[in-house]
Amino acid sequence: GINAEYGKQWYQRRVRGARDVMVAGGMESMSNVPMYENRTSPVYANRLVKDGILNDGLMDAYTPGLHMGNCGEDTASTMSISRAAQDAYTVRSYQRAAAAYQSGVLKAELVSVPTPNRKNPDLQLYHDTEYNNVKFDKIPALRTVFAKDGTITAANSSKISDGGAACVLMSADKARELGITPLARILTMSDSAGEPSSSL
């Protein structure tokens, strides 16, 4: 999402002639989101601690108490997106990720990240490991998370994960000047929006 937004901003600047080269990137580390404590917590009493992921990342900013998962359920219902369709998309996504890693097509674009732990202080991660954790036969039987008769499960929803990405955007003239062969071409861009609770 962040990369796409920066890409859009570069494209708009390029149209205005303001930028020939720009790096668009972003990162997210959900495993490091802190717990929150109110500054006015009393000195002598139990203190209320809030989970930053839940309260700052996964709740609708406009509707108190409304989880983004419930927004997803509402969108699935409104758009008639079935549980089976979501599960099938999930399986296809995992399969494509595995195929991309195994083929080596992404090798030149990946950078290792040091992830030391107690057992292995020198551990380096070279690629996403999530696609190795899936059990395809379990997906259809998983319980829904946000609504009893809903469609969203732990498998077909977004994961609590860490990651980052960046790409170099460049005008065709600049690429020719530097002798660089582009991987893709931006033809146009557009925005869409709906109600904040619609998951669009």
Side-chain angles (χ1 to χ4, degrees), residues 81-94 136 138-142 151-153 155-157:
I81 304 172
S82 68
R83 160 76 182 269
Q86 292 177 62
D87 285 350
Y89 187 92
T90 298
V91 170
R92 191 163 62 250
S93 178
Y94 272 103
F136 292 117
K138 303 286 187 183
I139 291 176
L142 290 175
T151 60
I152 298 176
T153 68
N156 65 29
S157 60

